[in-house]
Amino acid sequence: MYTNSPFLDSKETVGMMATEPTIGFTGNFDPQGAPGESAPPHRQRANYNRRRCLAMRRQLGQNQRNYTDLHEWLEKKRQQGQTVIGPGFEYLMDFRYKINTCCHHALFREHLNSDTKEFIGAHTCKHKLCAVCNAQRAKKVRRTWWNFFEEYPDLIRQYDFMHLTLTVPHDATNSFRGQRWYADELMKEFNYMRKKAFWKKMVYAGEFGVEVTKNQNGLHIHIHALLLVHKSLQNRNSLHRQILLAWNMQTAGSGQRNEITAAEKASILKSNCLLTPEDVNCLSPDGATLIGLESLYLRSDQEKRGYRYDERSGYWKRYVRPEDGFDTFLGGIMECIKYHFQPMAMYEDGTLDFELITEILPAIKGKPLYRKFGAFHAGTKNAHPGAKTLNVNYKPDESGVELAEDLANLGHEEVIDPESGEPVLREEYRYLVVSLAKVRVDPNDDLRIKICKNVAPKYLDNAYTAFDALVEMDMMARARQRAVKNKFIKPKKAKSCLKLKSSETSVLTP
């Protein structure tokens, strides 16, 4: 299997009990083993589970740092006599609350004989800017696409896959068409172009996402799209030419450039051998003239064998073809769609731009920034037979139910002790709930999962199966959310809500 492929990490849960599914390990590798060696299957699964827990714990750590940074940013604003007003402040406070409570309920299975713990899953906040949830969202979409192409591998040979990047002229003062947040305008124009005859003739299907960053020209909102293009001679150059001419015309009148210089014209001509001087002379100077359309690739921050340096992006790239193998080519697809889940408003060092967050959170509320089109859009006349399997609904109220669905769909296997590899009886393990922030993965002890001292986990004595435990954890988390919400919104009813929480949990765990 190609090691540079940006693999999806599969599930956020792991195998549970006799006759219950094993989740979180589907490969045949040893994350800690030496090259050429293979650990026993139970050690492979244990290592994988611990590394998944470690990754999620690190993401939660990023949330905690963001929470602290936000508090310091607000305090600095207060000291400077500045106030954060408008709808953005309400959304900012909601974001602050969400990342501070994400993974407050995490489910583990504790083996009594070996005193080892397996990570099962956690109740997450589902916020778009949460480090934990953003990673889960990306995994879910990538897993969906990976499974889709495993089910329909003929598409890889039947079509040419391309990565399209679309931008529009914008500046810090007027942005695009006088709007600082112009994602809606951008998607409307892209939708309009997809209705053109050349697009319908050349592009079979695809998907796209909107990425938001910030530079000296203000908000930089752009589209990354995966295209399945009908095979033909020089189809990349032909499609690039058509998109350039159409996109330039659609975005004309929105930029500040008065003319296209001779050097810029030469650069445009060099990008596509099918472009003619007449094509370039017809381009509007104040419209978009930079179109990114290239084959799929794997990307690296460092020089590697088979990779070449791309000056425009600043990364090393290796372009992939179907002949390179299924996993390698799927790695290129995963690389393309990962742009849809780049954390918004984040600096290179992982810190957040809170000014930008305050501006964009109200704008993206309830608006999908990821869509499918063409034959991948289920319900259309010429939809692909598997288009419905690509529907990914990541709703804010999803939690343990989603994990339970995963449990029901991924095979069955008896529970084994992670240390000995021997099957265990039901009375030899138990389920517990604890905040993931109170858990550490010890790098000096074979990545064993440990609960911090002076922390009392909640044991789920009534949960016989992992399914039961997941549902109970979900109910505990929801009861706490209702209590906290009523405490701040309706102070007079806070006590009754807390009593309700106590009564609900007592029903589950007497």
Side-chain angles (χ1 to χ4, degrees), residues 270-444:
K270 186 179 179 180
S271 67
N272 189 340
C273 63
L274 294 186
L275 285 172
T276 66
E278 290 75 18
D279 291 332
V280 178
N281 290 333
C282 290
L283 295 176
S284 174
D286 55 0
T289 57
L290 180 61
I291 303 296
L293 184 64
E294 53 188 329
S295 301
L296 301 185
Y297 57 83
L298 299 175
R299 194 183 77 170
S300 173
D301 295 331
Q302 301 177 344
E303 182 177 5
K304 290 184 179 181
R305 183 178 180 181
Y307 287 65
R308 66 184 185 185
Y309 187 72
D310 180 69
E311 293 184 359
R312 179 175 296 173
S313 65
Y315 295 101
W316 297 84
K317 292 182 178 181
R318 176 196 169 185
Y319 289 92
V320 297
R321 302 173 300 173
E323 293 77 14
D324 295 329
F326 180 82
D327 289 332
T328 301
F329 192 77
L330 260 291
I333 295 177
M334 298 299 107
E335 180 73 25
C336 179
I337 67 177
K338 82 173 188 179
Y339 286 96
H340 309 342
F341 305 97
Q342 297 282 33
M344 290 182 286
M346 182 172 284
Y347 294 116
E348 291 293 333
D349 61 358
T351 58
L352 296 177
D353 183 341
F354 297 113
E355 294 281 359
L356 179 56
I357 287 177
T358 305
E359 183 175 354
I360 68 176
L361 280 180
I364 66 176
K365 177 67 175 179
K367 295 181 180 179
L369 301 179
Y370 167 80
R371 296 176 181 174
K372 301 178 279 82
F373 54 82
F376 288 163
H377 193 285
T380 59
K381 180 180 179 181
N382 299 316
H384 186 275
K388 287 186 178 181
T389 64
L390 294 173
N391 293 337
V392 180
N393 297 316
Y394 202 78
K395 300 178 180 178
D397 59 350
E398 289 180 348
S399 51
V401 175
E402 180 185 43
L403 300 178
E405 290 176 354
D406 290 336
L407 287 177
N409 294 328
L410 291 177
H412 299 279
E413 177 178 319
E414 62 183 351
V415 171
I416 60 173
D417 189 292
E419 296 298 323
S420 66
E422 296 297 324
V424 293
L425 300 176
R426 178 60 189 86
E427 57 267 23
E428 295 177 310
Y429 63 88
R430 56 183 178 175
Y431 297 106
L432 62 92
V433 173
V434 66
S435 171
L436 191 62
K438 304 301 182 181
V439 173
R440 66 187 184 95
V441 182
D442 193 346
N444 300 318

Side-chain angles (χ1 to χ4, degrees), residues 66-85 88-90 92-97 354-355 358:
N66 291 340
Y67 179 86
T68 301
D69 290 345
L70 176 54
H71 176 77
E72 294 176 352
W73 180 78
L74 290 170
E75 180 62 20
K76 184 178 179 180
K77 286 279 190 181
R78 187 190 66 81
Q79 293 176 357
Q80 294 174 348
Q82 301 177 7
T83 57
V84 182
I85 59 177
F89 180 73
E90 179 183 346
L92 193 65
M93 292 300 97
D94 178 68
F95 166 65
R96 183 189 185 198
Y97 167 75
F354 297 113
E355 294 281 359
T358 305

